[in-house]
Amino acid sequence: MPIDQKFKLIQEKISLSCARANRSISDVHIVAVTKSVSIERAVEVLETGLKHLGENRPEGLLNKQASIKEPVVWHYIGSLQTRKVKQVINSIQVFHSLDRMSLADEIQKRADHKIDCFVQVNISEEEAKHGIELKSVESFIESLDKHDRINIIGLMGMAPNGANNEVIRSLFKSLKDMQLKIASQHYSHAPCLELSMGMSNDYEIAIEEGATYVRIGKALVGEESEDSHEYKK
Ligand SMILES: *Cc1c(COP(=O)(O)O)cnc(C)c1O
C-alpha cells in the first residue's frame, strides 16, 4: 500500500480513538519513524504533509538531514550514548529519550539552545528497556532544575513487546498519571504537558490514554534497511 493510503488509514484510526476518548485530533502529533527506511521513503512521508520525522541513531539522523531539503521537525527517539550527544543535540527539535543524569549533564554542556526533552520512563519495568523507573521520575525531574538548556516537555514510554491490550492500557495510564502529577507542580523547567507513547501496534490505545505524540514506524513507512537494532532485539 502506498504511504499516502497508509497515512489516511492511520489518520482515520486516530480520529476514531480521539472520538472515543473525547479528545481533539489537533492534540495528537504523528512522528513518522524513518529509522529503518531510505531517504527516498522519508521524502515520500513528507509528501503526505507530515512534518515530524523520528530517528534513533546519530548516523541515520545525520544522513537524512544532509539529503532532505524539505522543512522537517526532527525527533531523536532512541537511546543515545553520552559521547554522541554533541553529534546530534543541536540539529534536532525534540529529544525523546532523556533517561539519566549523565546524559542531562552532557546535553547541558553541548546544547547551544534550550532543547525540548521527554524523560523516558521504563513503564514496562523490563531490565532491557531504557528509562527511569516510574518511582524515580519526580526526583529526577526535580533535580534537573539547574539544567537551563533542558526543557522537560513531557514523559515518554514504551509498552513491552507482545503484552496484551489491557496491560498496555494500564501502563499507559500510569504514565499519564505521572505526567499529570508533574505538570501539577508547575516547574518552570518542566511544564510536562506532553506524552510520547504509542507505536505501530498500540497507538490507538495510547491516544485513548492521552498520548500527544505517537511514534509510528512500520505501520506507516514499512521496513527497508538492515539498520534497525530496535526491531531485531
Ligand atoms: C522503532 C521505534 C518506534 C516505531 O516503532 P514501530 O513499531 O515501527 O511503529 C517508536 N519508538 C521508538 C523509541 C522506536 O525505537
Side-chain angles (χ1 to χ4, degrees), residues 31-36 54-56 76-79 96-97 120 156-158 161 196 198-203 214-223 228-231 233:
V31 178
V33 176
T34 50
K35 66 188 184 193
S36 306
E55 287 283 327
N56 73 337
Y76 193 92
I77 62 168
S79 59
H96 288 246
S97 28
Q120 183 169 351
M156 180 274 217
M158 280 159 106
N161 293 331
S196 169
M199 317 194 338
S200 291
N201 292 331
D202 53 22
Y203 67 88
V214 289
R215 308 177 312 270
I216 304 183
K218 54 186 184 291
L220 179 64
V221 303
E223 287 176 88
S228 169
H229 81 294
E230 293 285 346
Y231 285 138
K233 270 196 302 214

Side-chain angles (χ1 to χ4, degrees), residues 36-66:
S36 306
V37 300
S38 64
I39 289 162
E40 292 70 30
R41 190 72 69 87
V43 170
E44 282 180 53
V45 169
L46 297 172
E47 285 164 358
T48 69
L50 281 166
K51 292 272 179 288
H52 298 266
L53 298 187
E55 287 283 327
N56 73 337
R57 296 212 171 162
E59 311 77 56
L61 174 79
L62 297 171
N63 271 335
K64 289 206 175 64
Q65 288 185 331

Side-chain angles (χ1 to χ4, degrees), residues 138-190:
E138 282 184 280
S139 60
F140 178 68
I141 288 179
E142 269 170 36
S143 64
L144 291 171
D145 67 336
K146 300 283 180 318
H147 291 67
D148 62 5
R149 295 286 157 98
I150 292 179
N151 182 37
I152 303 298
I153 60 170
L155 304 181
M156 180 274 217
M158 280 159 106
N161 293 331
N164 75 46
N165 288 351
E166 288 322 302
V167 170
I168 293 172
R169 189 178 296 282
S170 76
L171 295 172
F172 285 162
K173 265 197 210 323
S174 65
L175 194 63
K176 171 75 190 178
D177 288 346
M178 183 55 70
Q179 177 258 314
L180 288 174
K181 192 167 179 197
I182 292 165
S184 74
Q185 304 291 319
H186 300 287
Y187 295 119
S188 60
H189 70 290

